[in-house]
């Protein structure tokens, strides 16, 4: 047994039906791939199956036209010689293949090994691409584009079961393109984790030789240019370097010139371009095709700088650095670009050593004409310049992505921003699939099973992708599922041969192939959570995606995933707070006859606040209407709102008038601040509130407010007014009084209560919003529901920054024929007369079923008022949804329910009232009190 990465790995064939052999056998029999098989191997097996490969034998293609002068061959030869020496005496098989999987070079640790192996393992020219050879080191390294280890039964071919191999792609350091594959093959028993380190070092050595080869080509181009320039320099008066000519004060100008020069080289043609500078002058860039003595073809970019304005004389530079190369090479200055392209300035007239810059231009008395200056700006090969431009544009795209992606805390919008950033600068089409749970703000338990199309974006709208909202599923060999399982991006340069992608949905894939040809599937992973998958497609650009594109797509997806995760977390928190907020608000409207009521709650886009509303049935057919707003946003505000609303409702149900209810709330808010040990000056609880009580028997409304916007009053004739209601201090300040105001509300009037989120917005004028509210409310024929809908549509901001609570009540009046009242002197003999009058009125109303209970209740309440109260007694019957009996007097003493002892002569009256009535209580007046009891009616 050999340990690989700290995990024991079997070295022989499996026994007892376990291990990789058994997994492979089950797979070949058509069963699923077991979880113990590594993801790259299982994906490769799936692709081999879809390609129709047989594990029993392969006819590998053989190429006789090998290019033994290829760059990868010349760079790898010395490295392979050193590896052959290092593994001398071992059964190591070392090979180098090109980017198509064709073996170009082979070396053996043991010379006799070459004679004992079959031809495909010792003769260069065989193609080991995965579509021909199945799962193997070279083919899988090209498919996965990274370091690969294939061990024993993980090979698809039967002949390779006793072998193991490690393979690593070799890249061009300038372009990032895969130039070939370095592979170690050996018996399974020779496997050692240290081989991975040796393989990486050897591959890096080959890559360094590729880089030196590229540098030598550019140095040859420079020497060719300088030799040509030296011959043409005769008679030229002003040929100077550009590094220090008038551009030293403008670094941005130099950057623009270098970028434009790089673009000219990438076009590989003769051209002239004028580039404006920041000081108003224009530099002309000339591209000159050239060939070095060794046959390297490239371009030199020369810049022609016009004479400077008189206020900016030209300055000739000091002697510059020397070009790396032979000692006889002329002097020049250079700049190394990120891609490896080198910018040079030719030797100009240098100042003598020890002297400063020489001024060129007019002296104080004799103005002189300054001809244009000319110098070399850049030299290089078109291919290298193209990679330099691509690298720069990738950096620009990443910079732009940092500002464009994540501008909102909305999951779908963030995904759309990723698509808008990547198309068309990286991809022609982009689709993003997210689990349904992520769209709701949760973590998905199975991100591979509940994906839904969240974004489809591209250069055209006719590409037949699955539409937004559709549930999408991917097969095990598709790039999307492979990247989700492995956590790494998957590149399919040519979808026409991507077997797993084609086999998943052949009909749909065939339609897509008419529009796209290359794919990068990238998992959206943030903080270890898989959020979905993004698929980048290319169709218009004939060049397929490469590894640089894959790295860029991965970086874009990583940034977007973090923003999506932030939006998801925010959505989850906001959903929780909103659920709490809504659970603390009224879940329905109570039964009452005083007003027809409608309400709305609209949370802010950014966060949930502490707005609330309430409709509270009160004694005597009255109704309490309340709106409030807790300062701040988030969970704390929502929780505080719930506490205040509960307390406000309790105070209101005690029949306190509006100003007293606000006083009690003010005391409560102050106490909450004092009782919170963690609160400081920045956490002080603040709130505003408006409370109104409407009495349908008198059609009067009593209102008071604590720092809250005044209500709107809509008269039956359409007149809209904002009553002059004393503002009062916000809740929590303490020590300041609240003042209540009464107003007459004819039947059919509308009372509109709202929070400041409706009218206050930093982008709108409050007076203008109130005028618009006045215009919207000036339609008394609308129902409260219609009024709510029109107010939110016409008055509320399009993107509310604060939540909005809206309460609209259309007043009703209790029919005078349903009100009966009598004034009595405090004489016990009048109790019987009152009972008789009440029974006759109940008979007139047709509520005989409540006569017995009402007679006993009135008898007890009137007797108590005469015996324990003072002043005149008033009796009132109200026939509404229920029958209400009220007895009032001028005394402030309130009765209390108690359990009478067997020896007590009294104390049983209120107990009897409590048993007969649905509810009862005491309501205090400015002078006196009212004892009331409510009796239910049949069918109510």
């Amino acid at each position: 047994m050999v340990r690989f990465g700290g995990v024991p790995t079997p070295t022989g064939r499996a026994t007892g039906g376990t291990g990789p052999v058994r997994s492979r056998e089950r797979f070949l029999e058509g069963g699923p791939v077991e979880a113990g098989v590594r993801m790259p191997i299982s994906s490769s097996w799936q692709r081999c199956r879809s390609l129709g490969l047989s594990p029993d034998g392969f006819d590998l293609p053989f190429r006789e036209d090998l290019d033994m002068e290829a760059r990868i061959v010349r760079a790898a030869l010395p490295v392979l010689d050193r590896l052959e020496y290092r593994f001398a005496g071992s059964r190591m098989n070392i090979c180098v293949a090109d980017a198509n999987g064709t073996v170009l070079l082979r070396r053996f640790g043991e010379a006799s090994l070459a004679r004992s192996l079959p031809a495909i393992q010792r003769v260069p020219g065989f193609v080991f691409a995965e579509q021909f050879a199945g799962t193997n080191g070279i083919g899988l390294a090209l498919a996965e584009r990274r370091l690969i280890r294939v061990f024993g039964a993980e090979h698809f071919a039967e002949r390779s079961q006793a072998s193991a191999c490690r393979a690593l792609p070799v890249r061009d350091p300038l372009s990032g393109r895969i130039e070939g594959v370095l592979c170690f093959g050996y018996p399974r028993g020779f496997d050692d984790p240290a081989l991975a380190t040796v393989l990486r070092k050897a591959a890096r050595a080959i890559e360094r030789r590729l880089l030196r080869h590229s540098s030598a080509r550019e140095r040859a181009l420079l020497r060719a240019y300088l030799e040509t320039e030296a011959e043409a320099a005769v008679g030229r008066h002003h040929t100077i370097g550009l590094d220090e000519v008038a551009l030293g004060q403008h670094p941005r100008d130099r950057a623009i010139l270098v970028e434009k020069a790089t673009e000219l080289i990438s076009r590989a043609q003769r051209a002239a371009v004028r580039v404006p500078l920041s000081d108003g002058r224009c530099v002309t860039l000339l591209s000159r095709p050239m060939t070095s003595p060794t046959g390297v073809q490239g371009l030199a970019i020369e810049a022609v700088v016009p004479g400077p304005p008189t206020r900016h004389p030209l300055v000739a530079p000091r002697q510059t650095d020397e070009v790396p190369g032979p000692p006889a090479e002329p002097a020049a200055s250079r700049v190394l670009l990120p891609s490896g392209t080198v910018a040079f300035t030719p030797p100009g007239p240098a100042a003598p050593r020890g002297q400063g810059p020489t001024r060129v231009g007019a002296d104080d008395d004799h103005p002189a004409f300054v001809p244009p200056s000319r110098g070399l700006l850049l030299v290089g090969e078109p291919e290298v310049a193209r990679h330099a431009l691509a690298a720069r544009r990738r950096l620009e795209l990443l910079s732009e992505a940092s500002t464009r992606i994540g501008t909102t805390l909305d999951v779908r919008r963030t995904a759309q921003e990723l698509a808008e950033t990547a198309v068309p600068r990286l991809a022609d089409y982009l689709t993003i699939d997210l689990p349904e749970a992520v769209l709701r703000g949760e973590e998905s338990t199975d991100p591979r099973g509940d994906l839904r199309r969240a974004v489809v974006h591209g250069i055209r709208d006719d590409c037949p992708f699955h539409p937004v909202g559709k549930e999408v599923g991917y097969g095990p060999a598709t790039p999307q599922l492979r990247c989700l399982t492995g956590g790494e991006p998957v590149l399919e340069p040519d979808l026409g041969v991507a077997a797993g992608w084609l086999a998943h949905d052949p009909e749909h894939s065939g339609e897509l192939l008419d529009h796209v040809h290359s794919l990068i599937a990238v998992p959206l992973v943030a903080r270890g959570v898989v959020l979905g998958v993004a698929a980048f497609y290319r169709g218009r650009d004939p060049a397929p995606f490469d590894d640089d594109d894959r790295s860029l797509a991965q970086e874009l997806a990583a940034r977007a995933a973090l923003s999506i995760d932030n939006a998801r977390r925010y959505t989850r928190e906001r959903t929780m707070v909103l659920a709490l907020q809504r659970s603390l608000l009224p879940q329905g409207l109570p039964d009452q006859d005083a007003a027809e009521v409608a309400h709305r709650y609209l949370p802010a886009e950014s966060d949930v606040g502490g707005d609330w509303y309430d409709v509270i049935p009160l004694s005597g057919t009255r109704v309490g209407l309340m709106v409030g707003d807790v300062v701040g946003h988030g969970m704390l505000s929502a929780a505080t709102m719930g506490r205040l609303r509960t307390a406000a409702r309790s105070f209101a149900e005690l029949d306190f008038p509006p100003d007293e209810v606000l006083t009690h709330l003010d005391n409560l808010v102050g106490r909450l601040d004092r009782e919170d040990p963690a609160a400081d000056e920045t956490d002080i609880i603040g709130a505003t509130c408006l409370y109104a009580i409407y009495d349908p028997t008198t059609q009067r409304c009593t209102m008071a407010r604590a720092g809250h916007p005044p209500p709107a009053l809509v008269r039956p004739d359409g007149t809209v007014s904002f009553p002059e209601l004393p503002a009062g201090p916000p809740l929590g300040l303490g020590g300041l009084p609240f003042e209540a105001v009464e107003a007459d509300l004819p039947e059919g009037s509308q009372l509109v209560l709202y929070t400041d989120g409706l009218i206050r917005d930093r982008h709108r004028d409050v007076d203008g919003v109130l005028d618009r509210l006045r215009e919207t409310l000036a339609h008394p024929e609308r129902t409260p529901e219609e009024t709510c809908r029109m107010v939110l549509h016409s008055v509320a901001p399009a993107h509310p920054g604060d939540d909005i609570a809206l309460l609209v009540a259309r007043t009703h009046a209790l029919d005078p024929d349903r009100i009966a009242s009598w004034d009595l002197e405090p004489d016990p003999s009048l109790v019987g007369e009152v009972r008789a009058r009440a029974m006759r009125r109940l008979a007139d109303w047709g509520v005989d079923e409540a006569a017995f209970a009402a007679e006993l209740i009135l008898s007890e309440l009137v007797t108590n008022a005469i015996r324990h109260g003072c002043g005149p007694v008033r009796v009132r019957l109200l026939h509404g949804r229920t029958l209400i009996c009220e007895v009032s007097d001028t005394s402030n003493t309130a009765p209390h329910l108690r359990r009478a002892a067997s020896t007590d002569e009294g104390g049983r009256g209120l107990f009897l009232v409590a048993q007969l009535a649905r509810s009862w209580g005491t309501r205090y007046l400015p002078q006196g009190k009212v004892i009331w009891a409510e009796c239910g009616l049949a069918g109510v």
Side-chain angles (χ1 to χ4, degrees):
M1 179 163 303
V2 178
R3 300 186 66 86
F4 174 73
V7 180
T9 304
T11 58
R13 291 188 63 84
T15 58
T18 61
V21 173
R22 183 56 182 160
S23 298
R24 178 174 174 275
E25 290 175 354
R26 289 182 180 177
F27 172 76
L28 294 178
E29 292 171 358
V33 180
E34 295 184 353
V37 180
R38 293 182 291 129
M39 183 61 194
I41 302 300
S42 63
S43 299
S44 179
W45 287 357
Q46 297 282 359
R47 293 194 295 270
C48 294
R49 171 188 285 174
S50 62
L51 289 169
L53 299 180
S54 170
D56 299 327
F58 293 89
D59 250 342
L60 298 186
F62 180 78
R63 294 181 54 189
E64 297 181 354
D65 56 338
L66 299 182
D67 183 9
M68 301 311 294
E69 293 298 322
R71 297 174 64 225
I72 185 66
V73 172
R74 287 186 282 130
L77 276 172
V79 179
L80 260 64
D81 290 340
R82 291 196 297 270
L83 290 174
E84 183 180 21
Y85 176 77
R86 173 168 185 158
F87 291 109
S90 70
R91 299 183 63 82
M92 180 68 71
N93 185 342
I94 309 163
C95 67
V96 170
D98 64 13
N100 297 316
T102 304
V103 175
L104 302 176
L105 298 172
R106 281 197 181 274
R107 294 287 190 275
F108 301 95
E110 185 177 317
S112 60
L113 187 63
R115 296 188 295 271
S116 63
L117 293 175
I120 61 171
Q121 296 184 21
R122 60 182 172 83
V123 178
F126 285 97
V127 182
F128 280 83
E130 190 180 61
Q131 61 265 33
F132 304 116
T135 307
N136 71 93
I138 295 175
L140 193 53
L142 289 173
E144 296 289 334
R145 309 176 81 83
R146 59 189 175 94
L147 176 64
I148 286 297
R149 169 183 176 266
V150 183
F151 189 90
E154 293 178 336
H155 288 88
F156 194 73
E158 289 285 352
R159 65 168 179 267
S160 303
Q161 301 295 292
S163 302
C165 61
R166 296 176 187 265
L168 179 65
V170 177
R171 304 175 187 274
D172 185 332
L174 289 181
S175 67
R177 185 174 51 204
I178 292 179
E179 293 288 335
V181 177
L182 177 62
C183 180
F184 290 172
Y186 44 86
R188 288 188 301 174
F190 191 68
D191 193 20
D192 190 333
L195 289 175
T197 303
V198 177
L199 185 65
R200 286 193 179 94
K201 290 182 178 179
R204 298 301 172 262
I206 298 175
E207 291 173 351
R208 285 195 298 271
R209 290 183 57 81
L210 288 172
L211 179 60
R212 286 199 296 269
H213 178 70
S214 298
S215 301
R217 294 168 64 94
E218 290 196 352
R219 286 198 298 271
L221 283 175
L222 178 61
R223 282 193 293 269
Y225 173 83
L226 293 177
E227 290 171 0
T228 304
E229 189 69 14
E231 296 175 359
V234 179
R236 184 171 297 167
H237 299 291
H238 294 279
T239 302
I240 59 178
L242 293 181
D243 281 336
E244 302 177 23
V245 178
L247 300 180
Q249 300 175 3
H250 304 283
R252 186 175 57 182
D253 289 343
R254 169 134 187 105
I256 293 173
L257 287 174
V258 170
E259 181 174 3
K260 195 64 179 179
T262 308
E263 183 177 348
L264 287 175
I265 293 177
S266 68
R267 294 178 182 176
Q269 60 186 6
R270 189 182 298 273
V273 177
R274 291 173 60 86
V275 181
L277 301 181
S278 58
D279 61 1
R281 293 178 297 161
C282 284
V283 172
T284 302
L285 299 184
L286 305 174
S287 62
R288 180 200 300 180
M290 53 185 299
T291 304
S292 73
T294 58
V296 180
Q297 295 183 344
L299 287 93
I301 306 299
E302 295 178 326
V304 179
V305 184
T310 55
R311 65 180 183 274
H312 294 301
L314 285 176
V315 178
R318 296 177 182 271
Q319 182 71 23
T320 53
D321 298 336
E322 292 187 356
V323 179
E329 208 166 52
S333 64
R334 67 173 183 172
V335 176
L336 185 63
L337 298 181
S339 67
T341 303
V342 183
F344 296 89
T345 60
R353 295 187 181 272
Q355 295 185 11
T358 302
R359 185 175 300 273
V360 181
D363 55 29
D364 294 337
D365 300 323
H366 301 86
F369 170 73
V370 180
S373 302
R374 178 173 177 170
L376 176 64
L377 178 63
L378 207 64
V379 64
E381 296 180 85
E383 185 70 16
V384 176
R386 279 192 286 270
H387 290 299
L389 279 178
R392 185 179 295 113
R393 287 166 182 167
R394 289 186 179 98
L395 290 175
E396 292 172 353
L397 182 57
L398 289 175
S399 176
E400 181 180 340
S402 63
T403 59
R404 290 191 61 181
I405 300 176
T407 60
T408 67
L409 288 171
D410 181 81
V411 173
R412 287 185 173 85
R413 179 57 197 159
T414 302
Q416 183 67 32
E417 289 170 346
L418 168 60
E420 293 172 353
T421 302
V423 175
R425 298 173 64 178
L426 173 61
D428 296 325
Y429 301 93
L430 193 145
T431 65
I432 299 177
D433 304 320
L434 301 175
E436 184 69 24
V438 172
L439 295 173
R440 296 193 305 266
E442 304 168 2
E443 290 187 13
S444 176
T445 56
D446 183 14
R448 298 173 295 177
D450 61 344
L451 290 172
R452 291 190 177 274
R453 183 57 48 84
V455 171
V456 176
H457 186 69
I459 56 176
R460 297 176 58 181
D461 297 331
D462 58 350
C463 197
F465 290 107
H466 293 307
V468 172
K470 181 178 179 179
E471 185 176 359
V472 292
Y474 295 108
T478 56
Q480 288 87 343
L481 195 64
R482 286 162 53 199
C483 81
L484 282 175
T485 305
E488 295 291 337
V490 174
L491 168 62
E492 291 288 359
D494 186 359
L495 288 176
V497 298
W501 183 79
L502 290 170
H504 170 62
D505 189 351
E507 182 178 354
H508 185 236
S509 300
E511 295 178 1
L512 285 177
L513 278 178
D514 295 335
H515 301 268
V516 299
H517 60 75
S518 190
L519 164 67
I520 301 174
V522 186
L524 299 173
V525 182
R527 303 181 178 96
V529 178
V530 179
L531 303 174
V533 59
F536 298 77
Y537 292 90
R538 181 168 287 176
R540 179 181 58 180
D541 189 346
F545 285 124
D546 56 22
D547 287 303
D548 288 336
D549 296 322
R550 179 175 62 174
S551 299
L552 179 58
Q554 183 178 16
E555 180 65 25
L556 289 175
R559 298 189 183 197
L562 188 60
S563 297
I564 289 175
D565 191 50
N566 290 338
R568 179 192 66 82
R569 290 167 176 256
Y570 167 77
T571 301
R572 180 186 61 187
E573 297 297 330
R574 187 173 187 272
T575 301
M576 293 172 56
V577 176
L578 188 57
L580 173 63
Q581 171 87 340
R582 293 192 182 279
S583 69
L584 296 175
L585 291 173
Q587 302 303 304
L589 293 175
D591 296 330
Q592 48 85 31
D593 296 324
E596 178 186 357
V597 181
H599 56 83
R600 292 289 189 277
Y601 173 75
L602 183 65
E605 282 192 350
S606 58
D607 208 347
V608 177
D611 290 14
W612 87 90
Y613 60 88
D614 211 345
V615 179
I616 309 167
L618 300 176
S619 63
T621 68
R622 299 171 306 142
V623 64
L625 305 173
M626 180 181 295
V627 292
D629 182 3
V630 175
V631 175
H633 297 84
M635 186 76 74
L636 177 61
S637 296
T640 303
M641 177 275 293
R643 300 169 74 178
L644 292 185
R645 175 181 170 258
T646 302
R649 188 179 185 92
S650 300
F651 295 145
E653 289 179 343
L654 291 175
D655 272 325
F656 292 141
D659 53 335
E660 292 189 25
V661 169
L662 296 182
T663 300
H664 287 295
L665 284 177
D666 182 59
N667 294 334
L668 173 64
V669 172
R671 187 165 60 252
L672 291 177
D673 270 331
R674 292 190 299 271
E675 291 176 353
D676 186 0
D680 53 24
E681 294 183 358
T682 61
D683 296 325
I684 294 177
I685 299 174
T688 64
C689 186
L690 169 63
Y691 182 40
I693 297 177
Y694 172 70
D695 189 345
T697 63
T698 62
Q699 301 179 40
R700 294 184 66 81
C701 181
T702 305
M703 299 174 284
R705 63 181 178 131
H708 203 84
L713 178 59
V714 184
R715 301 285 179 177
D717 60 358
T719 304
V720 180
S721 62
F722 297 93
E724 293 292 335
L725 188 61
L731 300 176
L733 295 183
L736 298 176
F738 300 95
E739 185 177 351
V741 173
E742 290 189 351
D744 292 323
L745 299 184
E747 184 176 12
S749 300
Q750 285 192 2
L751 189 62
V752 181
L753 287 70
Y754 51 87
T755 55
D756 61 356
L758 178 68
I759 60 173
R760 299 189 186 277
D761 186 84
R762 59 182 179 180
H763 303 296
R764 304 189 300 172
D765 178 65
V766 175
D767 293 334
V769 175
L770 290 177
D771 290 340
R772 189 183 307 172
L773 178 61
R774 191 189 306 271
E775 295 173 1
T776 305
L777 294 177
H779 296 275
E781 72 281 0
R782 291 174 179 161
T783 65
E785 281 290 338
E786 294 172 341
T787 300
C788 283
R789 185 170 60 253
M790 290 305 300
V791 167
L792 291 184
H793 176 73
S794 303
V795 183
H799 303 283
D802 192 7
D803 48 349
I804 300 172
L806 177 65
L807 191 64
V808 178
R810 171 181 283 174
T811 61
H812 295 164
L814 189 61
D815 190 343
D817 292 338
R818 290 176 172 262
I819 303 175
S821 60
W822 301 278
D823 293 324
L824 306 175
E825 292 296 327
D827 184 356
S829 62
L830 299 178
V831 175
E833 181 181 348
V834 171
R835 288 202 303 266
R837 291 180 182 179
M839 292 306 100
R840 288 194 295 270
R841 181 54 64 93
L842 294 181
D844 294 341
W845 288 342
V847 290
D848 296 332
E849 71 277 7
F852 176 74
E855 183 178 12
L856 290 178
I857 289 172
L858 282 175
S859 178
E860 291 295 334
L861 294 183
V862 171
T863 301
N864 284 342
I866 293 174
R867 179 177 300 176
H868 303 290
C870 62
V873 177
R874 183 178 179 83
V875 178
R876 189 170 71 159
L877 295 180
L878 303 176
H879 178 207
R881 185 180 297 270
T882 59
L883 179 65
I884 300 175
C885 305
E886 295 182 347
V887 177
S888 60
D889 61 69
T890 58
S891 171
N892 290 324
T893 58
H896 298 283
L897 181 65
R898 65 183 180 89
R899 182 177 297 277
S902 58
T903 57
D904 291 342
E905 295 183 1
R908 298 177 178 82
L910 282 181
F911 181 79
L912 181 62
V913 170
Q915 296 299 312
L916 295 174
R918 175 183 293 181
S919 61
W920 72 280
T922 302
R923 180 171 74 250
Y924 289 93
L925 303 174
Q927 292 181 349
K929 66 179 182 299
V930 176
I931 310 298
W932 58 271
E934 181 178 338
C935 301
L937 300 178
V940 179

